[in-house]
Amino acid sequence: MLGQLVVIAGPDNGQKFPLEAGKTVVVGRGQNTQTRLKDPQVSRVHCRIEEENGKLLVIDAGSSSGTFVNTRKITAPQELKQGDVIQIGSTQLRLQLTGAPDATTMVVGGAPTPKPTPEATGQLAHLVGQTLSHYRIDAVISPAQAGMVFKAHDVEKNRPVALKVLWPQFSAHEEEMQRFVRAMKTMLPLRHANLITLYGAGKTGEHCWMAMEFVDGESLTDVIERIGTAGMLDWRYSLRVATHIARALAYAAEHSIIHRNIKPANILVTHADKTAKLGDLMLAKALEGTQAEQITRPGELVGDIAYMSPERTRGTSAPIDGRSDIYSLGATIYALLTGRPPFDAGSLAETIQQIRNTDPVPPKKYQLAIPDLFEGAVKKMLAKRPGDRFQDASELQTELERIAKYQGVTL
């Protein structure tokens, strides 16, 4: 036996499914699968586990909600390693290879940090059906970098919320807790149509949580993945998103706050009226006043490298201000226009070098219909030197609104 899949979260928790050499395991809730899971969020045939040249691969089988490996949605066959966690619906399955040990740490910024173990991930998924504070947890939305996001219901105010519960190890460290408290104090006063509202935060038992506005929509990550399979997205959509997020950044700047982690996963677009909303201010930093302490660890590169400004790739050795957010928004809009970030080389070091030294391919090479004015604005957002970009979000907002008016685009 090569190993087994162990269900660590979901209705079938504790079930084990053997993986035999040369045999394909079909995972789903249908009668013709080897698992027959009870999770209603799982497709009848959700994914397959296959052996190829001694490697185990997971392949999504056209499921309705997607297949995730270690919180990342797969779009092609994904090789599996010992301890990897596959999420389908609210069910999580851990790969246990015969005779292989589990890895429990990862290195961030040169120092070992606790890694969310599959057991911790399963523990959070088990919160479905429980109540934290006055929030009843109804379903898993998705894993996130800092924890798990659930759809929950505020039983006091009778409204749906998105409840992010941080990994259990997080609340065990005083430094992490203080960073969390500072970030929450930064976020709570903010109210804007293009910011995901934070309703409250706290700690219940061993769990730190934050309750946010529930957005019925999709992330730009999903939109960009769809672009890759269905062709180019209308540039007007990208212009509207850019303008909405510029408005959010201009509002945050009025409160001396920068975001510092703008990327497609942190922007949601509502289904109803296509309003773009910026979320996940966990890494926000107030520029002045009593909340000006550093929220992230010194020297740590936080967020997706492909969307980082050149100065952010240097850690804390370079000053970071709102112009860094403008670059990251530009990289996100570039990906919306082209289906790919401006720079995404084969290695981390190559990507960083390109971000610092290489000009991006003009967006119009991928989509000729993009107006020159809009392409020019995106290229200016992506300037290497902060002094060559828009100097603040308000200036960017004004320019994008001018372009929209000139092009007849409704915002």
Side-chain angles (χ1 to χ4, degrees):
M1 187 172 74
L2 292 175
Q4 59 185 354
L5 292 175
V6 182
V7 182
I8 60 172
D12 300 276
N13 184 54
Q15 289 272 10
K16 298 178 181 179
F17 305 108
L19 301 172
E20 304 287 351
K23 293 185 178 180
T24 296
V25 173
V26 180
V27 181
R29 58 183 177 87
Q31 292 297 311
N32 295 325
T33 69
Q34 282 73 45
T35 57
R36 300 184 181 183
L37 298 170
K38 300 173 185 175
D39 185 350
Q41 298 181 46
V42 170
S43 297
R44 293 185 181 279
V45 176
H46 203 107
C47 63
R48 303 189 307 275
I49 311 295
E50 298 181 356
E51 183 191 12
E52 183 178 297
N53 299 323
K55 298 179 180 179
L56 280 176
L57 303 177
V58 58
I59 304 166
D60 185 77
S63 65
S64 59
S65 58
T67 300
F68 297 78
V69 175
N70 300 330
T71 77
R72 291 186 178 273
K73 188 175 184 179
I74 65 171
T75 56
Q78 170 78 43
E79 183 180 357
L80 294 172
K81 302 291 188 182
Q82 161 64 16
D84 281 352
V85 175
I86 303 168
Q87 171 143 357
I88 55 176
S90 62
T91 294
Q92 294 182 342
L93 306 101
R94 182 185 63 194
L95 175 64
Q96 177 63 56
L97 297 176
T98 302
D102 256 348
T104 57
T105 61
M106 62 180 176
V107 175
V108 178
T113 337
K115 175 184 178 181
T117 62
E119 288 78 8
T121 305
Q123 183 179 359
L124 291 186
H126 269 117
L127 290 173
V128 173
Q130 299 185 34
T131 299
L132 289 185
S133 184
H134 52 280
Y135 301 102
R136 185 191 69 231
I137 300 175
D138 295 331
V140 173
I141 294 178
S142 67
Q145 184 178 8
M148 188 80 74
V149 182
F150 299 91
K151 184 175 182 181
H153 189 80
D154 184 339
V155 296
E156 287 188 356
K157 298 194 175 181
N158 191 27
R159 64 185 176 188
V161 299
L163 189 73
K164 177 178 284 187
V165 182
L166 307 183
W167 302 120
Q169 304 98 306
F170 185 93
S171 58
H173 295 79
E174 182 62 25
E175 179 187 353
E176 302 284 351
M177 283 295 299
Q178 291 304 315
R179 190 177 300 114
F180 177 73
V181 169
R182 291 196 297 272
M184 294 307 98
K185 287 181 178 178
T186 299
M187 293 168 63
L188 277 168
L190 304 183
R191 293 291 185 274
H192 188 274
N194 299 115
L195 284 177
I196 295 176
T197 301
L198 176 70
Y199 293 140
K203 183 181 179 186
T204 302
E206 64 177 337
H207 299 298
C208 287
W209 51 267
M210 47 194 297
M212 300 166 288
E213 169 190 4
F214 177 76
V215 178
D216 182 14
E218 61 180 343
S219 75
L220 292 189
T221 299
D222 294 331
V223 176
I224 291 168
E225 286 180 357
R226 194 165 64 245
I227 294 171
T229 59
M232 291 300 105
L233 189 71
D234 190 326
W235 60 267
R236 295 170 184 82
Y237 180 101
S238 303
L239 177 56
R240 281 192 293 270
V241 169
T243 308
H244 289 182
I245 303 306
R247 290 170 177 172
L249 293 177
Y251 170 80
E254 293 174 2
H255 295 76
S256 301
I257 293 169
I258 58 175
H259 189 287
R260 297 185 359 116
N261 195 32
I262 293 177
K263 56 185 180 180
N266 287 339
I267 297 174
L268 301 181
V269 179
T270 64
H271 290 314
D273 59 7
K274 304 304 179 186
T275 298
K277 290 176 173 280
L278 178 62
D280 198 358
L281 296 179
M282 278 287 292
L283 302 175
K285 175 186 173 184
L287 293 179
E288 61 187 22
T290 59
Q291 300 172 47
E293 296 179 73
Q294 180 79 24
I295 288 178
T296 53
R297 297 180 184 87
E300 185 180 340
L301 295 180
V302 186
D304 286 2
I305 294 292
Y307 299 96
M308 281 187 180
S309 65
E311 59 270 26
R312 275 195 66 211
T313 66
R314 295 179 169 86
T316 56
S317 62
I320 302 298
D321 58 28
R323 294 173 296 182
S324 178
D325 281 347
I326 289 173
Y327 179 97
S328 296
L329 177 57
T332 298
I333 299 305
Y334 184 101
L336 267 184
L337 289 167
T338 67
R340 68 203 73 195
F343 308 105
D344 193 6
S347 71
L348 177 65
E350 287 179 88
T351 299
I352 289 176
Q353 284 303 313
Q354 289 181 3
I355 289 172
R356 293 176 181 174
N357 303 312
T358 305
D359 290 331
V361 175
K364 289 189 73 164
K365 182 175 180 180
Y366 300 98
Q367 188 179 165
L368 285 173
I370 300 171
D372 291 342
L373 283 174
F374 186 28
E375 182 188 55
V378 173
K379 290 167 71 174
K380 184 173 181 178
M381 294 165 74
L382 290 172
K384 303 297 182 187
R385 295 179 58 254
D388 293 333
R389 299 174 203 149
F390 295 95
Q391 291 305 286
D392 55 45
S394 179
E395 180 187 353
L396 172 62
Q397 175 188 339
T398 299
E399 175 63 9
L400 293 175
E401 290 175 346
R402 183 183 74 86
I403 294 170
K405 183 176 180 179
Y406 182 80
Q407 297 292 335
V409 177
T410 301
L411 298 173

